[in-house]
Amino acid sequence: MSFNAFPQASLAHTLTSLGWDDAWAAEFTPYAAQGLVPGRVVRVDRGQCDVLTADGIVRADTAFVTPHDPLRVICTGDWAAVETAGNPRYVKAYLPRRTAFVRSTSSQRSEGQILAANVDHAIIAVSLAVELDLGRIERFLALAWESGAQPLVVLTKADLVPDPATLGHLVQDVETTAPGVQVLTVSSHTGEGTDVLGAIVGSGTSVLLGVSGAGKSTLANALLGTDAMEVQATRDVDGKGRHTTTTRNLLVLPGGGVLIDTPGLRGVGLFDAEAGVGQVFSEIEDYAAECRFHDCAHEAEPGCAVLAALESGDLPERRLESYRKLLRENQRIVAKTDARLRSEIRRDWRLKSAEGRANYSAKRGGRV
């Protein structure tokens, strides 16, 4: 987003309105002693970043905080220690993150990519203009839970589903997919649900996530009370109509709170998100706790409570398959960077292979 479109009133906001508190101030004490200035990173691009301080926006170089580890580079939402004297200005450090939204990169190196830092609410925007992809929602939720933020699913373009019964069924499907998560229907066209959403994001920091076409920019405009994001969308559309924005922007909301808007995500690969997957599929984890064997794989073991729930219809087959798929994917990602886990997986494969051969031999009366 161009900072010509950044609400001018926000420049006068105090650090408190950006989320600054006594705990952050205590963390910043050694940097204050060095004459550095605190500020919140609102945008990062090409080795530089824009930092919103109590005195306005500072453009600073990030050369001092550009490590080889992509998870340690400065990112939107970070609290930075800025050297404001001289030209160029530099970010000398950033404070330890309370939360971090991380996905795996699209490369083959299985690296993590940090999308936003110090987030309280992860808003997952899902368009009702197209068929619901429950598996994708589960994937976003796993990353959101793993980040440490509280997820919220917002079903956008609710005005395109005029039948209340149909809308109710769609909401119920998502609620089943997202246990423990609030599901809100919103229409930026009619204003439905925007007041409730505004109240939720009115305190703390929220990140807006979703695929292209989910209505994130329109939703951000509704919360901002301006058409700032529409202007950006128009500038970033090429001749083929593709949105090419690649940066994440931190926006101060007029009603309070901070919003980090992200570009549409084509891929949302897991990155060491086992706990997040378990939270999304909490009912399966609860069933698993009742299995006869603590290491039950929920495939054919006797006394498996998960399979019993599947057979009784209490657990949808789609949920179990999605759970297995995400766990396998997460295990592969972790195994690529964890030699010990790779060794354990190979050992498990050998044991299962040996067990399979033994069972086969037993069925044939000891003949191999």
Side-chain angles (χ1 to χ4, degrees):
M1 185 184 70
S2 168
F3 280 97
N4 291 330
F6 198 95
Q8 292 300 308
S10 68
L11 298 181
H13 277 237
T14 64
L15 291 181
T16 302
S17 68
L18 301 176
W20 189 257
D21 57 29
D22 291 342
W24 287 124
E27 291 271 10
F28 195 80
T29 300
Y31 300 111
Q34 301 172 35
L36 302 179
V37 174
R40 193 106 192 248
V41 177
V42 300
R43 179 187 175 107
V44 180
D45 59 340
R46 298 182 181 180
Q48 292 188 312
C49 66
D50 292 292
V51 184
L52 189 55
T53 71
D55 295 323
I57 292 178
V58 173
R59 185 72 168 171
D61 194 290
T62 63
F64 285 96
V65 286
T66 309
H68 294 296
D69 184 352
L71 293 181
R72 297 176 61 198
V73 300
I74 197 162
C75 111
T76 304
D78 274 325
W79 282 102
V82 188
E83 182 183 61
T84 57
N87 189 17
R89 298 165 178 176
Y90 290 97
V91 172
K92 287 302 189 73
Y94 61 84
L95 300 185
R97 294 159 178 157
R98 294 179 181 175
T99 63
F101 193 96
V102 179
R103 68 167 177 175
S104 65
T105 63
S106 57
S107 70
Q108 298 302 311
R109 293 176 295 177
S110 301
E111 293 178 339
Q113 178 191 22
I114 182 165
L115 300 181
N118 302 314
V119 172
D120 301 297
H121 309 287
I123 304 171
I124 301 166
V126 179
S127 174
L128 289 174
V130 296
E131 184 177 354
L132 289 177
D133 186 337
L134 299 179
R136 179 180 289 156
I137 294 174
E138 289 163 343
R139 183 177 292 272
F140 269 111
L141 286 169
L143 292 175
W145 280 121
E146 191 68 33
S147 76
Q150 172 64 46
L152 167 68
V153 178
V154 174
L155 302 179
T156 65
K157 308 179 184 181
D159 56 290
L160 299 181
V161 187
D163 179 47
T166 301
L167 183 60
H169 287 309
L170 292 172
V171 171
Q172 185 176 22
D173 286 344
V174 177
E175 287 177 338
T176 302
T177 299
V181 176
Q182 182 177 359
V183 178
L184 180 65
T185 56
V186 169
S187 169
S188 299
H189 179 67
T190 66
E192 175 192 348
T194 55
D195 55 339
V196 178
L197 180 59
I200 293 172
V201 302
S203 62
T205 299
S206 303
V207 62
L208 190 54
L209 305 159
V211 298
S212 296
K216 298 190 306 301
S217 295
T218 305
L219 199 58
N221 280 339
L223 294 171
L224 283 168
T226 72
D227 289 337
M229 302 312 293
E230 265 184 18
V231 172
Q232 176 65 12
T234 300
R235 290 177 179 173
D236 284 346
V237 172
D238 64 13
K240 296 182 181 180
R242 294 172 301 181
H243 196 279
T244 57
T245 300
T246 57
T247 58
R248 288 161 286 280
N249 304 285
L250 184 144
L251 311 163
V252 179
L253 300 176
V258 173
L259 179 69
I260 297 176
D261 181 57
T262 66
L265 299 176
R266 296 175 182 172
V268 279
L270 301 184
F271 186 81
D272 197 7
E274 183 177 356
V277 173
Q279 187 73 38
V280 176
F281 298 93
S282 57
E283 81 279 25
I284 298 180
E285 300 266 301
D286 289 341
Y287 287 130
E290 302 299 323
C291 290
R292 181 182 301 176
F293 304 107
H294 75 277
D295 58 348
C296 182
H298 321 306
E299 293 177 354
E301 295 86 348
C304 176
V306 173
L307 294 180
L310 185 68
E311 185 176 351
S312 68
D314 293 332
L315 175 63
E317 184 174 358
R318 189 206 66 80
R319 284 281 284 174
L320 181 57
E321 287 304 312
S322 183
Y323 173 69
R324 288 169 170 166
K325 177 181 178 180
L326 293 184
L327 282 183
R328 287 195 301 267
E329 176 185 328
N330 189 71
Q331 190 178 54
R332 285 196 301 271
I333 291 294
V334 174
K336 288 180 180 179
T337 56
D338 190 330
R340 179 186 56 79
L341 182 57
R342 286 199 299 271
S343 177
E344 291 178 356
I345 291 174
R346 292 193 187 100
R347 187 181 68 242
D348 287 343
W349 284 343
R350 289 195 295 268
L351 289 175
K352 288 182 178 180
S353 178
E355 182 180 354
R357 289 195 299 270
N359 290 338
Y360 182 73
S361 176
K363 288 180 180 180
R364 293 177 58 85
R367 300 188 307 275
V368 179

